[in-house]
Amino acid sequence: MWTGSVLWLLFCFLLIQQSHAHFDGSQCGKSKSCHIPTTCPEKCHGMGAAWKLLDDDSLELELFVNSNTSTGRYVAIGFSDDDKMGNEPVIECSSLGDEPISMKFSFDKVKGKGNQRIPGDFSEYFTKSRNEFHDGMIYCKSIVKISGHPEVANIFKHDPTRQYNLLLVNGLTKPDGISYHKGKQDAIAPKMLLSNTSYGAITPTQTEESPDFDISSAELQSETGTLEISASPAKLQKAAAISPKTLGPFDSSSCGKSKGCTQPIGDQCYGEQGEGLGGSYRILSENQIEFEIFGPVNVNISQNVYVAMGFSNDTKMNDISVIECSKMPGETNPTMKFSYNQGFENVRIDNEPTYRAKLINLTSSSIQDAQIYCKGIVNVGGSSDNSRVFKWDSTQRYYLLFASGPTDASGLHHHTGDCTSGSQIFLDQVEPMFDSSQCSKSKACFTPTDCGDDNNCNSIQASWKIVDSEHIEVELTGNVNGTNSYIALGFSTNGKMGNASVIDCSSFAGNKHSMSFSYNLVNGHYFNLRPTADLSNLIANERTVLADGVLYCTAVFKVVGDENDPAIFKYDPKQEYNLLLATGTTKVNRTVVGLNYHFTKRSLSTPQLLSQIAITTTTPPPPSGDIVVRQKRQTSSSQATFDSSTCGTTKACYTPSADATIAYKLADNNQDLELEISSTQASANGVYTAVGFGSASEMGPASVVECSALQGQALSMKFSANEARTNVRISGEETIRSQLMSNVETSYVDGKIYCKATIKGGGSSANSQIFNFQPDNKYYLLVAKGAASSSGLNYHGPNDRWISSQRLLSDTGAGNAGGKSTTLLILHAVFMTVAWLVMVPIAVIFARVLRASWPNTKPGGLLIWFQIHRAANLIAIALMIAAFVCILIYKNWKFPTEGWGGAHAITGVIALVLGWLQPIISVFRCGPADKLRPIFNITHRAIGVVALCLATTAIAIAGYHFTPTRNVVQLVLALIPITVLFGVSYFFLVFNSCLEKSQENLASNSTAPQNHSNRPNVVRVEPSSKSQTATTWTLNGSSNSEEDAIVATPQRIVWPHRFREFIVYAAVLVFIAIGAILSTFFANAF
């Protein structure tokens, strides 16, 4: 039983060892060929390939690449006739999306950049496969069938007589394929037969023989020469370690990405073994940190040596917890241990081996080439029964103190070298923390390029983000020479360095760097004023790091100013600031503390709002001349310009004007769209030409692709969107653009801007505003050109916009056919405006105010007020009908229901129905004396009020949401007529009430003797008989006496009527003016 258990455990051990087998480089150039690039040290990411031809139809292939994750990355090899990417079969080792790693076939496109997928299951072509992710490397190995496929031409088919250029690339994947590799992520091997096994030999330089290939001491032989490599076997027994950035046990390529690193230099280190000491830290969980500790040791004196890392709140080594990488007498290899500095002497911790076994999981250690190295996962929760065991406080910044020297049985001897980190560090801080990928996305950035004659800006950069109206988050970074230095960001309102508020990260008198406010005062002399106010409530979330000569600082500043301290910056959201970025040294002279003059290490940006996120540089595109940017292989003399010779044959062209052209065609896969945009522009700065793809022949809503150079930025092709008739920026567009646009070309030549790109079909799942090209959909092309600001596209005006006919984008013969004219849309807007804001208000105000005017004038047997009331309403109804028909025809008899268009349509239709009911109801009205007449009056008036309110709402929506300019003005104008109506009606209710009270007072005093000359000049006006309607009102005064006859004379009743008439005439002029202005605005906008 015991023997069986042992055999089972041995079998499991061998199985595990096999599953994590590393790339065997010892056979490179012997039994197999290897292509392990050495010409792209920054972005090869340790990629490599090895192959051995088993027979003409079978290839044993290995592919590998460094990766921080097992998903979302690939390494691929192409088999090409030449040394260029394109038109070659590919075998890749990839994880698409969250899929497991596997080997696959794919194919590089014939035209343009990009890799295309090969549909179908070809897993049977890959046998004896091993696909794994282990210790930071993706690795695939398979025997690949390379005899091709009878029905799929793009599957790799090996020709034994043919020499191949092997193109090796790596990059990121997407759920539906692999992304285009960027930068220097590709490498090309010379032409060779696949049967050649002598390429890429790796020759050991050690005299000691080992059954396993140890890449820690080897040389790469290639056509470019020999590359010496030194590293530890535990870390680098695989090709992932061959990239120069990962040479040696310590892998610096992950510094600032997945782990924080500290390796002090210069005056931060002392002693024979000082320089070269360092460590790294990577947070795995709340209580676990992966540490690496490394450095030089003097093995000539003793093989028992150490490097230790202490965690201190100052730069002194006394009374601190220590984690050490040490080899004690009796140990075969170094181990990671806890210890403690008591005073300035290192002492062993009681029962330390117990704590070590419980809290440290050592994963790698070595002593080689006078270097000691340990890597382990440490539980940093400390020990409840011993405070000397290191316990991490995530809120504390630590100085990391390094020391190296010999050991003996009692512990660590006094160090022969030591180093101190330049500043305190948060262990959960991966430095450098300045993330340029978020520039123009979540923060604004300033990267100067014009520092002095040598343009050496010490790599200084700044970023800022408006947290709210009172807080700004600022980052500063750059190269500095240790302490007593600064990086400063000034906010100038005068375009000069002087008299400007400053936020700086500075160090004085050898102290650590910290962030602060200051002020550059120029008053005959330059002074940097330091703050006198308490900054504890003005600066939060401060972090500073000085590592390897790179300073990084960040904090959130409360920018509300201080009337007693001019150094405290007061932010004005409406103010445009010139950003001033500078670096230099600090000074402490008796009582004077400040920043020294920067000399040429400074840069000044163009003015901008701080809320503007667009990247700020000091070198905006030139206003004129020829600019060519091409993002694919081309000769330097090539210039990307529009070629009209293939219009109507291989591509469709829409040229609505001599100043603008749009060309398009389906890509080779019949799924993507190749799009070109060209137009005449006065410069390549602050201009755009855009094409929207709409389902209706109006500017919005629509997805947009633009060729634009926003103010201060380079010309580029971008996505945006039209909401109604306003163009808006899309959040995260730059990231989405990089995923969906390829083969991008831009230029400004001979006064024309030009952009070309291949746009991936299917759109973006992350944002529905991105153009979702579907080959089977018909689109209207909505073309416009104009000026661009730093924040987006300005209104193009009525003359620089065009709308095509509806078309399939696969139709190369669509040509310049235009879309429907906007005349019907304009007529709809004008007719509705005149009907509801001119004619209806005139009809209402005459009925409400002038019923008593001209009582004896009855053209056609009816009073004047009624004639005007009826005529104005009938004209309004005729205009409504015409406007309704116009919009139905324009919209192809489709009724919108969504968004503001739906709200406008619904409220407008209800208003129309109510308006059209009014004349029908009026036909059935009863006589003035009928008992049902009050019901008619209430119904008639209520319907009229509701209809007018709804119509005004619909027009206000159109004025505010459907036009690109004058939105607020149009909204206010639309509300004026109804406001005047209600205001005049209420006024005359009060006015008439006062007159009636005056008459009643006069009647109550009629029995007393009175002087008739003092009686009010007013009489009642009412129907002359019960048989008459209210449209035939006459004067009906009493004539029993001479006095009554005097009251009835026309001269005695003039002034109230004339006053009413004056107000009504003024209101009518207002209605006509509003209608004329709004109609003009609408006619120019559509």
Side-chain angles (χ1 to χ4, degrees):
M1 183 69 179
W2 181 85
T3 304
S5 298
V6 171
L7 291 174
W8 174 251
L9 290 173
L10 180 60
F11 172 75
C12 292
F13 173 76
L14 292 174
L15 183 64
I16 292 171
Q17 288 296 100
Q18 175 65 22
S19 68
H20 289 138
H22 295 308
F23 169 70
D24 182 9
S26 65
Q27 295 302 308
C28 288
K30 298 177 181 178
S31 64
K32 62 183 179 183
S33 284
C34 300
H35 180 30
I36 303 170
T38 62
T39 57
C40 51
E42 294 186 359
K43 295 187 178 179
C44 277
H45 298 298
M47 68 175 176
W51 61 94
K52 178 168 65 174
L53 193 66
L54 304 180
D55 56 51
D56 287 347
D57 296 330
S58 300
L59 182 73
E60 185 181 83
L61 180 64
E62 296 171 272
L63 296 170
F64 43 83
V65 66
N66 284 346
S67 177
N68 293 327
T69 175
S70 63
T71 60
R73 194 160 190 88
Y74 76 91
V75 57
I77 187 167
F79 302 86
S80 178
D81 287 329
D82 53 31
D83 60 354
K84 295 180 174 61
M85 302 281 179
N87 194 26
E88 64 268 332
V90 173
I91 299 176
E92 65 187 64
C93 171
S94 63
S95 166
L96 306 184
D98 295 326
E99 293 179 1
I101 302 165
S102 65
M103 263 195 187
K104 310 172 185 69
F105 290 117
S106 60
F107 192 83
D108 278 347
K109 294 179 181 179
V110 177
K111 294 182 179 179
K113 296 177 182 176
N115 175 275
Q116 64 188 49
R117 311 314 296 164
I118 300 176
D121 182 8
F122 301 97
S123 57
E124 64 182 9
Y125 279 58
F126 301 90
T127 57
K128 296 185 180 181
S129 300
R130 185 166 79 248
N131 306 308
E132 64 185 33
F133 173 74
H134 179 62
D135 200 11
M137 183 180 76
I138 289 175
Y139 176 85
C140 294
K141 180 178 181 181
S142 285
I143 295 177
V144 186
K145 183 180 177 181
I146 53 174
S147 57
H149 191 283
E151 298 178 2
V152 184
N154 289 342
I155 295 293
F156 178 46
K157 183 176 181 180
H158 173 233
D159 182 354
T161 65
R162 184 176 171 187
Q163 291 187 329
Y164 295 91
N165 281 102
L166 301 180
L167 316 176
L168 193 63
V169 300
N170 74 91
L172 302 179
T173 69
K174 302 176 289 187
D176 58 347
I178 63 178
S179 300
Y180 180 71
H181 55 279
K182 298 181 179 179
K184 296 181 179 179
Q185 292 177 269
D186 60 330
I188 303 170
K191 259 188 179 179
M192 69 182 76
L193 295 170
L194 293 188
S195 57
N196 178 11
T197 59
S198 62
Y199 180 75
I202 300 178
T203 306
T205 58
Q206 286 184 324
T207 58
E208 297 180 3
E209 297 294 332
S210 172
D212 295 324
F213 170 65
D214 181 1
I215 207 169
S216 64
S217 183
E219 291 182 348
L220 281 179
Q221 293 181 348
S222 71
E223 74 278 9
T224 59
T226 300
L227 174 68
E228 295 185 0
I229 300 175
S230 60
S232 76
K235 175 71 178 173
L236 301 177
Q237 275 184 330
K238 56 190 177 182
I242 296 179
S243 173
K245 281 220 170 185
T246 59
L247 299 180
F250 178 64
D251 180 5
S252 64
S253 67
S254 298
C255 291
K257 299 175 182 176
S258 61
K259 63 185 179 183
C261 302
T262 297
Q263 192 172 8
I265 58 174
D267 59 5
Q268 299 167 1
C269 297
Y270 305 91
E272 185 180 351
Q273 270 78 44
E275 189 123 2
L277 295 173
S280 77
Y281 33 91
R282 180 165 68 100
I283 305 300
L284 301 180
S285 68
E286 187 176 299
N287 289 317
Q288 285 189 321
I289 299 178
E290 182 181 68
F291 286 105
E292 291 177 286
I293 306 173
F294 57 88
V297 288
N298 191 343
V299 292
N300 295 324
I301 298 176
S302 172
Q303 289 292 321
N304 300 320
V305 289
Y306 75 89
V307 170
M309 179 166 62
F311 304 87
S312 178
N313 59 5
D314 56 30
T315 58
K316 299 177 181 178
M317 291 200 172
N318 59 307
D319 303 317
I320 59 173
S321 295
V322 174
I323 296 177
E324 64 189 54
C325 174
S326 61
K327 180 178 177 295
M328 297 294 186
E331 291 184 326
T332 304
N333 292 305
T335 58
M336 195 174 275
K337 308 176 181 72
F338 294 112
S339 61
Y340 186 80
N341 284 355
Q342 182 174 298
F344 288 94
E345 296 294 327
N346 182 267
V347 298
R348 301 293 90 186
I349 296 176
D350 295 340
N351 299 318
E352 189 276 335
T354 303
Y355 299 127
R356 185 197 321 166
K358 180 181 178 182
L359 301 177
I360 297 179
N361 177 19
L362 183 69
T363 57
S364 178
S365 67
S366 67
I367 297 179
Q368 183 178 337
D369 298 332
Q371 293 275 333
I372 188 171
Y373 171 84
C374 288
K375 178 180 180 180
I377 298 173
V378 180
N379 186 319
V380 290
S383 173
S384 58
D385 56 358
N386 197 319
S387 62
R388 292 187 170 188
V389 174
F390 175 60
K391 181 178 181 180
W392 176 43
D393 181 356
S394 61
T395 65
Q396 181 179 344
R397 295 188 299 180
Y398 297 95
Y399 282 99
L400 300 183
L401 313 178
F402 298 91
S404 67
T407 68
D408 60 20
S410 62
L412 311 185
H413 282 197
H414 185 70
H415 49 267
T416 57
D418 66 276
C419 293
T420 304
S421 63
S423 63
Q424 288 176 296
I425 294 169
F426 289 95
L427 294 183
D428 60 355
Q429 175 174 309
V430 178
E431 82 280 0
M433 293 183 67
F434 193 89
D435 186 359
S436 298
S437 68
Q438 292 302 307
C439 292
S440 295
K441 297 177 183 177
S442 63
K443 63 184 180 181
C445 299
F446 181 23
T447 305
T449 58
D450 60 345
C451 300
D453 295 333
D454 58 357
N455 283 335
N456 182 5
C457 298
N458 285 6
S459 299
I460 53 176
Q461 286 181 284
S463 81
W464 62 94
K465 178 169 62 177
I466 303 300
V467 179
D468 55 42
S469 60
E470 293 186 351
H471 294 86
I472 300 177
E473 182 178 346
V474 175
E475 289 180 297
L476 299 173
T477 189
N479 299 330
V480 297
N481 295 320
T483 56
N484 302 332
S485 59
Y486 73 86
I487 299 174
L489 179 66
F491 304 87
S492 173
T493 58
N494 57 26
K496 299 179 181 179
M497 290 281 183
N499 298 322
S501 296
V502 176
I503 289 176
D504 61 63
C505 183
S506 51
S507 162
F508 298 94
N511 293 317
K512 65 183 184 68
H513 284 83
S514 62
M515 298 204 77
S516 177
F517 292 105
S518 63
Y519 187 82
N520 285 346
L521 176 64
V522 176
N523 187 13
H525 297 281
Y526 165 82
F527 296 98
N528 177 250
L529 301 180
R530 308 309 296 172
T532 58
D534 180 10
L535 301 183
S536 60
N537 295 322
L538 299 177
I539 302 178
N541 301 335
E542 180 183 1
R543 287 192 171 188
T544 60
V545 177
L546 177 58
D548 300 333
V550 178
L551 175 64
Y552 172 83
C553 309
T554 181
V556 176
F557 290 81
K558 188 173 183 179
V559 285
V560 295
D562 187 330
E563 61 182 10
N564 298 317
D565 190 344
I568 306 302
F569 177 39
K570 184 175 182 179
Y571 167 55
D572 181 358
K574 298 180 181 179
Q575 175 67 52
E576 288 191 338
Y577 295 93
N578 289 94
L579 283 308
L580 320 170
L581 192 57
T583 183
T585 60
T586 60
K587 61 182 177 183
V588 178
N589 183 12
R590 296 182 181 178
T591 60
V592 177
V593 177
L595 310 181
N596 280 325
Y597 185 62
H598 43 68
F599 294 100
T600 62
K601 303 298 183 184
R602 58 94 184 96
S603 186
L604 177 68
S605 81
T606 55
Q608 68 179 79
L609 296 172
L610 296 188
S611 57
Q612 175 184 321
I613 297 182
I615 293 179
T616 300
T617 67
T618 54
T619 55
S624 61
D626 291 351
I627 302 170
V628 179
V629 179
R630 299 193 67 162
Q631 296 177 315
K632 70 176 186 179
R633 299 173 187 265
Q634 65 172 35
T635 62
S636 60
S637 62
S638 176
Q639 293 186 334
T641 57
F642 181 73
D643 179 11
S644 61
S645 64
T646 56
C647 287
T649 55
T650 62
K651 65 183 178 185
C653 298
Y654 176 57
T655 308
S657 163
D659 294 332
T661 298
I662 307 297
Y664 51 90
K665 69 174 181 178
L666 290 183
D668 294 336
N669 61 4
N670 292 325
Q671 298 296 321
D672 302 340
L673 181 71
E674 292 185 12
L675 181 66
E676 296 176 87
I677 301 175
S678 177
S679 75
T680 302
Q681 298 285 2
S683 74
N685 186 24
V687 295
Y688 75 90
T689 300
V691 55
F693 299 87
S695 58
S697 58
E698 51 192 67
M699 284 293 177
S703 298
V704 175
V705 178
E706 65 189 57
C707 177
S708 63
L710 303 187
Q711 196 71 43
Q713 298 184 35
L715 184 68
S716 64
M717 194 174 255
K718 312 174 184 69
F719 292 110
S720 60
N722 285 351
E723 292 181 353
R725 293 178 175 270
T726 302
N727 182 267
V728 296
R729 302 291 91 187
I730 297 175
S731 176
E733 183 273 337
E734 189 171 354
T735 300
I736 299 173
R737 185 200 320 168
S738 65
Q739 298 168 348
L740 298 185
M741 286 189 187
S742 59
N743 307 326
V744 180
E745 302 178 16
T746 62
S747 71
Y748 180 65
V749 178
D750 297 331
K752 289 182 178 290
I753 61 170
Y754 173 76
C755 296
K756 179 181 179 181
T758 300
I759 300 173
K760 185 175 179 60
S764 169
S765 59
N767 196 313
S768 60
Q769 292 179 301
I770 296 292
F771 177 40
N772 180 3
F773 171 58
Q774 299 293 335
D776 297 330
N777 285 2
K778 287 187 175 182
Y779 299 93
Y780 289 96
L781 303 184
L782 319 170
V783 181
K785 56 173 287 193
S789 66
S790 56
S791 58
L793 310 185
N794 296 335
Y795 176 52
H796 44 69
N799 298 320
D800 287 327
R801 54 88 191 270
W802 306 271
I803 300 175
S804 77
S805 59
Q806 197 173 23
R807 59 187 65 194
L808 287 171
L809 298 186
S810 58
D811 181 5
T812 58
N816 294 328
K820 287 184 297 186
S821 169
T822 58
T823 301
L824 290 175
L825 179 63
I826 293 172
L827 288 177
H828 167 78
V830 172
F831 286 171
M832 285 296 187
T833 300
V834 174
W836 287 106
L837 300 189
V838 180
M839 304 313 298
V840 170
I842 289 175
V844 172
I845 201 168
F846 268 82
R848 290 294 298 158
V849 180
L850 297 184
R851 286 175 179 263
S853 296
W854 314 291
N856 296 318
T857 305
K858 302 176 183 178
L862 299 173
L863 291 173
I864 290 178
W865 75 264
F866 184 78
Q867 294 281 26
I868 295 176
H869 175 75
R870 182 172 63 179
N873 274 329
L874 290 175
I875 294 172
I877 289 172
L879 290 171
M880 293 174 201
I881 294 172
F884 189 59
V885 172
C886 287
I887 200 63
L888 285 177
I889 296 173
Y890 182 77
K891 289 287 188 179
N892 295 322
W893 304 90
K894 294 179 181 179
F895 187 84
T897 58
E898 297 181 354
W900 287 111
H904 171 79
I906 291 170
T907 54
V909 166
I910 295 174
L912 287 177
V913 171
L914 293 176
W916 294 338
L917 278 176
Q918 288 290 67
I920 298 173
I921 294 173
S922 296
V923 171
F924 300 100
R925 73 181 183 276
C926 46
D930 194 295
K931 63 179 181 180
L932 298 179
R933 184 57 180 255
I935 296 177
F936 166 79
N937 291 340
I938 293 173
T939 303
H940 185 64
R941 291 172 184 173
I943 290 175
V945 169
V946 172
L948 184 58
C949 289
L950 290 174
T952 300
T953 301
I955 294 173
I957 290 173
Y960 190 76
H961 290 286
F962 296 169
T963 61
T965 58
R966 299 183 294 266
N967 308 90
V968 175
V969 173
Q970 290 168 169
L971 173 65
V972 173
L973 289 174
L975 296 175
I976 289 176
I978 197 170
T979 304
V980 170
L981 276 179
F982 282 122
V984 170
S985 297
Y986 179 78
F987 172 78
F988 279 111
L989 283 175
V990 176
F991 180 80
N992 292 338
S993 176
C994 293
L995 288 179
E996 288 181 1
K997 287 183 179 180
S998 177
Q999 285 183 307
E1000 290 172 359
N1001 292 336
L1002 181 62
S1004 65
N1005 296 326
S1006 61
T1007 56
Q1010 297 192 26
N1011 182 358
H1012 298 301
S1013 63
N1014 294 327
R1015 296 174 63 180
N1017 299 333
V1018 184
V1019 297
R1020 294 179 63 83
V1021 181
E1022 56 186 20
S1024 54
S1025 69
K1026 290 185 178 181
S1027 64
Q1028 292 179 307
T1029 67
T1031 60
T1032 57
W1033 290 35
T1034 59
L1035 288 174
N1036 234 3
S1038 174
S1039 59
N1040 293 330
S1041 66
E1042 181 182 356
E1043 289 80 6
D1044 290 335
I1046 295 173
V1047 172
T1049 59
Q1051 289 80 4
R1052 310 300 293 273
I1053 60 171
V1054 166
W1055 79 265
H1057 301 308
R1058 295 295 177 264
F1059 177 66
R1060 291 189 184 96
E1061 293 163 10
F1062 173 78
I1063 296 298
V1064 170
Y1065 297 156
V1068 168
L1069 290 176
V1070 170
F1071 300 152
I1072 293 173
I1074 295 297
I1077 295 171
L1078 264 183
S1079 295
T1080 302
F1081 284 171
F1082 286 148
N1084 288 329
F1086 297 128

